[in-house]
Structures are given as C-alpha cells and as structure tokens.
Amino acid sequence: MRDEKFLLTLEVAGRKYPLRIKKSDEQAFRDAAKKINTKINQYRVAYGGGNSRMTTQDFVAMTAIQALAENFSLGDKNNTKPFEDKIDSLISELDDYLKK
C-alpha cells in the first residue's frame, strides 16, 4: 500500500507540475523541488540583477546542469568496481595458493 501511486503537484520556478509518484517517494520529490527552487533563486540573485537578459528558463537550465554535474561526480566517487576487481584478484591469488 505504501508504494501506491498518487498525484503530487509541485511548484518549481513559479509553475505547477503534476506528477504521478509512489507514496514512498513523496518526501524525496518535495525535497528535490525545494532544493531546485532554492538554487534557481541563488542563480537569480547572482546573475539576474541589473540589466541581465537571463530568464527563468536560463536559471532552470543552470540548476539542471549543476545537479547533473554533482550527480556524475558522486557516481564517480561511489564507483566500487576497482575495489571489486582487486578483491577478485586477491581471492584468485588465495585460491591458487591454497591449491598448492
């Protein structure tokens, strides 16, 4: 019952977006929308003052680029493949040693 889908409407950059999500994912989506809005506002303050020709769409794009760059960076940090390879190599060496 916890993963039953429902309609959640989130506001991002002043626009409402209806999303059908699992109930168990609700808080993650709400937190994501909040973080996106915060980042958009930070870009708006940093780059939107004065005679800037930047639009809300520009700030949304900048936020998306930053979020994905952070995601890719975290993916690299969480890559356990080199460790798995080393462990496999050590197990193989140990097996070879024990067979002697």
Side-chain angles (χ1 to χ4, degrees):
M1 187 68 113
R2 181 101 173 112
D3 282 341
E4 186 175 314
K5 291 192 174 189
F6 78 106
L7 186 66
L8 174 67
T9 301
L10 295 174
E11 188 170 329
V12 175
R15 294 184 67 176
K16 293 186 179 188
Y17 297 93
L19 303 166
R20 188 158 299 279
I21 64 165
K22 293 178 185 176
K23 183 69 175 164
S24 60
D25 294 336
E26 179 180 5
Q27 193 58 50
F29 276 80
R30 289 187 185 281
D31 292 345
K34 184 177 180 179
K35 188 169 185 175
I36 290 167
N37 283 319
T38 298
K39 186 54 66 180
I40 288 169
N41 288 332
Q42 289 172 348
Y43 279 125
R44 187 174 279 128
V45 168
Y47 299 103
N51 295 328
S52 174
R53 292 184 180 182
M54 298 186 91
T55 66
T56 299
Q57 181 179 344
D58 295 319
F59 302 130
V60 170
M62 293 166 73
T63 299
I65 292 166
Q66 181 179 1
L68 282 174
E70 289 174 0
N71 188 13
F72 290 144
S73 177
L74 288 175
D76 291 342
K77 289 180 182 176
N78 291 329
N79 182 6
T80 59
K81 182 77 170 118
F83 301 108
E84 292 170 18
D85 291 345
K86 185 62 176 176
I87 290 170
D88 288 342
S89 171
L90 292 171
I91 289 172
S92 179
E93 284 182 39
L94 185 58
D95 285 344
D96 290 345
Y97 178 79
L98 292 174
K99 288 179 185 176
K100 292 180 181 181

